[in-house]
């Protein structure tokens, strides 16, 4: 974060401090944490999160590890667990939609048409299927870190994303190299998240400029949805920490898991409440229908309605023929 102040005092021809501030910060603090780890400064258990060797990843990882489908055994099917995962994918789709919109905003692109969002969610579903086949413990979702990194570096090129994906594939096969990056202390990652999530949340707040914030109807929807989005998931999380289970205690475990997955997502709770109130609360007059800003988004609903859509959302390698937007 402190490198953001350097351009004021350090005049360079290229925006190096702006685009590489996060990379330089991670490298410097990571190197400093490694020195403290090797010197024996971290001896207490409370300081384990600052160590670079706390997990033993580097010594325990193989040099080459090629993943293959079903390496952890034959997949099994359980109706309750499958239904829970379907709702978890729905929650991931809601959160990913927010990341899509934030990325388009920071990439100076037009608002994402609904067909492009549907296409992106469909590819996330394919990614989740591949994750399950290869035994990955996490699903596939559009991460807020990428949108925050885009905002910080101001680089929205597709080629950068493609090269980054190639590097991730490379490091997943060469275990030692991937373990080196996985040894970054959790405290450094927490500091990075503070910046990245701040960028993403500010993008969401920026969309409120198209609403009429002087309307009491808009203020109620905004305040009520934000309050429930913060408080309700926190209540479920605290209940899980105290009792090991959610506050719902029905005879159907899968139903309890589904409700916990949905309600523990801040973005999902806030979005569902806001959409429900906006669709059901009556307007005071016809002109007030513009209070929610929908008139500004209407011109971007259809893909072909804006001539710039192909510039931002056209798929490479002529894939638009197989996945056409509308």
């Amino acid at each position: 974060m402190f490198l953001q102040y350097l351009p004021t005092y350090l005049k360079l021809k290229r925006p190096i401090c702006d685009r590489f501030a996060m990379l330089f910060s991670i490298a410097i603090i990571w190197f400093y944490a490694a020195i403290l780890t090797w010197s024996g400064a971290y001896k207490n258990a409370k300081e384990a999160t600052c160590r670079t060797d706390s997990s033993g990843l580097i010594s325990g990882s193989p040099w080459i590890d090629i993943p293959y489908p079903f390496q952890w055994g034959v997949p099994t099917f359980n109706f309750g667990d499958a239904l829970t995962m379907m709702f978890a994918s729905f929650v991931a789709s809601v959160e990913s939609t927010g990341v899509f919109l934030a990325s388009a905003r920071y990439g100076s692109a037009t608002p994402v048409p609904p067909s492009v969002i549907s296409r992106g969610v469909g590819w996330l579903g394919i990614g989740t299927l591949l994750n399950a086949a290869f035994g990955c413990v996490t699903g596939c979702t559009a991460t807020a870190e990428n949108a925050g990194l885009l905002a910080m570096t101001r680089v929205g090129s597709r080629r950068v994303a493609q090269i980054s994906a190639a590097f991730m594939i490379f490091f997943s096969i060469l275990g030692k190299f991937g373990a080196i990056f996985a040894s970054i202390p959790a405290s450094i990652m927490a500091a990075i998240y503070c910046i990245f999530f701040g960028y993403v949340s500010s993008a969401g707040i920026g969309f409120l400029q198209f609403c009429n914030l002087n309307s009491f109807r808009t203020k109620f929807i905004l305040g009520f949805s934000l309050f429930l989005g913060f408080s309700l998931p926190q209540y479920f999380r605290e209940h899980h920490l105290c009792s090991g289970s959610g506050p719902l205690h029905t005879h159907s475990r899968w139903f309890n898991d589904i409700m916990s997955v949905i309600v523990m997502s801040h973005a999902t709770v806030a979005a569902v409440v806001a959409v429900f109130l906006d669709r059901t609360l009556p307007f005071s007059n016809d002109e007030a229908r513009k209070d929610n800003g929908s008139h500004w988004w209407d011109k971007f609903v259809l893909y072909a309605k804006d001539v710039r859509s192909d510039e931002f959302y056209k798929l490479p390698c002529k894939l638009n023929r197989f996945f056409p937007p509308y």
Side-chain angles (χ1 to χ4, degrees):
M1 182 182 69
F2 296 104
L3 291 178
Q4 295 288 327
Y5 294 95
L6 283 181
T8 306
Y9 308 99
L10 185 61
K11 303 297 183 181
L12 299 175
K13 294 182 179 180
R14 295 184 178 181
I16 296 179
C17 294
D18 293 336
R19 294 186 176 180
F20 300 99
M22 184 60 63
L23 186 62
F24 289 157
S25 300
I26 293 176
I28 293 173
I29 301 176
W30 187 13
F31 181 71
Y32 180 65
I35 293 177
L36 294 178
T37 301
W38 294 332
S39 63
Y42 299 138
K43 296 181 179 180
N44 299 327
K46 295 181 179 179
E47 300 168 344
T49 56
C50 300
R51 298 181 63 92
T52 57
D53 61 349
S54 57
S55 57
L57 288 173
I58 299 178
S59 59
S61 300
W63 281 103
I64 298 178
D65 184 16
I66 300 177
Y68 55 90
F70 310 124
Q71 58 181 324
W72 307 117
V74 180
T76 59
F77 177 80
N78 181 275
F79 175 77
D81 294 337
L83 199 60
T84 303
M85 290 306 301
M86 290 174 61
F87 279 90
S89 299
F90 167 75
V91 171
S93 301
V94 174
E95 297 180 354
S96 298
T97 301
V99 177
F100 293 157
L101 297 175
S103 300
R105 188 69 173 169
Y106 285 128
S108 300
T110 57
V112 189
S115 60
V116 175
I117 294 179
S118 300
R119 187 175 65 187
V121 171
W123 280 108
L124 289 177
I126 296 176
T128 302
L129 178 63
L130 293 176
N131 286 342
F134 283 91
C136 184
V137 296
T138 59
C140 187
T141 181
T143 57
E145 296 89 338
N146 292 332
L149 188 61
L150 190 152
M152 171 169 286
T153 59
R154 300 174 181 86
V155 177
S157 174
R158 287 184 177 180
R159 185 168 297 178
V160 175
Q162 293 168 354
I163 294 175
S164 301
F167 270 107
M168 286 189 286
I169 296 174
F170 174 77
F171 288 129
S172 65
I173 296 176
L174 299 178
K176 292 293 184 182
F177 290 95
I180 293 175
F181 286 95
S183 66
I184 299 177
S187 55
I188 297 179
M189 299 304 299
I192 295 174
Y193 286 166
C194 292
I195 298 176
F196 286 166
F197 283 105
Y199 270 118
V200 176
S201 59
S202 63
I205 296 174
F207 286 120
L208 297 178
Q209 63 181 302
F210 307 111
C211 303
N212 181 14
L213 296 179
N214 292 320
S215 170
F216 283 95
R217 179 181 182 275
T218 304
K219 290 181 179 180
F220 171 74
I221 295 175
L222 178 61
F224 189 69
S225 60
L226 285 178
F227 175 76
L228 286 185
F230 283 120
S231 61
L232 197 57
Q234 184 63 29
Y235 168 71
F236 269 70
R237 282 192 172 88
E238 291 181 356
H239 204 286
H240 268 278
L241 291 176
C242 295
S243 60
S245 61
L248 297 177
H249 300 286
T250 64
H251 296 289
S252 301
R253 183 183 62 85
W254 57 268
F255 179 77
N256 300 336
D257 294 338
I258 288 174
M259 295 305 300
S260 297
V261 167
I262 295 176
V263 180
M264 290 178 67
S265 171
H266 298 277
T268 303
V269 173
V272 169
V273 173
V275 171
F276 175 79
L277 293 177
D278 185 60
R279 295 292 91 188
T280 56
L281 286 180
F283 292 94
S284 58
N285 51 62
D286 294 336
E287 187 65 24
R289 292 184 179 275
K290 295 183 178 181
D291 288 350
N292 59 5
S294 59
H295 65 287
W296 187 84
W297 295 87
D298 288 341
K299 53 187 175 183
F300 301 105
V301 170
L302 297 178
Y303 182 88
K305 209 168 183 179
D306 196 293
V307 295
R308 298 168 294 176
S309 295
D310 274 343
E311 178 183 354
F312 299 117
Y313 305 113
K314 185 178 181 180
L315 293 176
C317 303
K318 298 182 179 180
L319 289 176
N320 266 33
R321 294 185 301 175
F322 304 100
F323 306 97
Y326 55 88

